[in-house]
Amino acid sequence: ASSVKQQAASNLKNLLLTQKGERVGQPTFGSDLPSILFEQRTEDIADKIETAIREAISNWLPYIKVNNIFVSYPDNVQLEFIVTVDDPDSPETITFNFNTGD
């Protein structure tokens, strides 16, 4: 993986795991993902997770295009994406694991 992709993946994780309002001076930075994960499980939780991810990325990381989001709630979310400024023909996948065994 290129360093551009690694940086993009790092930026992506940082963005999605930051609760909106958490960062002083940038109250809109982040996503609703952290709060959704603590909500009561509902039928539409996968949709909520996907919407939160897509909104945050389009607002803050427009050079990342999401191909697929696979939600295996409550265990993990897998995100397949391309970095449009780097190599749009080879998608990257990152997985967020939520069920840390505690």
Side-chain angles (χ1 to χ4, degrees):
S2 73
S3 58
V4 173
K5 276 196 186 134
Q6 287 166 337
Q7 187 58 54
S10 172
N11 292 348
L12 199 51
K13 281 190 171 171
N14 183 32
L15 172 69
L16 296 178
L17 299 176
T18 299
Q19 176 65 43
K20 277 186 196 169
E22 193 179 305
R23 193 168 280 187
V24 177
Q26 281 187 305
T28 58
F29 181 84
S31 78
D32 293 325
L33 190 59
S35 60
I36 291 169
L37 296 173
F38 288 106
E39 282 179 14
Q40 206 51 36
R41 186 174 183 169
T42 55
E43 266 180 41
D44 65 343
I45 192 135
D47 293 339
K48 283 182 176 177
I49 288 171
E50 183 164 346
T51 299
I53 290 172
R54 288 186 186 278
E55 268 177 15
I57 291 171
S58 69
N59 287 339
W60 291 96
L61 303 173
Y63 59 90
I64 291 178
K65 180 178 173 287
V66 177
N67 287 351
N68 282 301
I69 298 174
F70 304 101
V71 179
S72 317
Y73 185 82
D75 300 317
N76 65 52
V77 173
Q78 209 174 43
L79 200 57
E80 185 189 274
F81 67 95
I82 55 174
V83 181
T84 57
V85 295
D86 184 38
D87 182 2
D89 296 325
S90 62
E92 275 293 289
T93 304
I94 58 173
T95 303
F96 295 92
N97 292 305
F98 302 121
N99 203 345
T100 52
D102 53 340

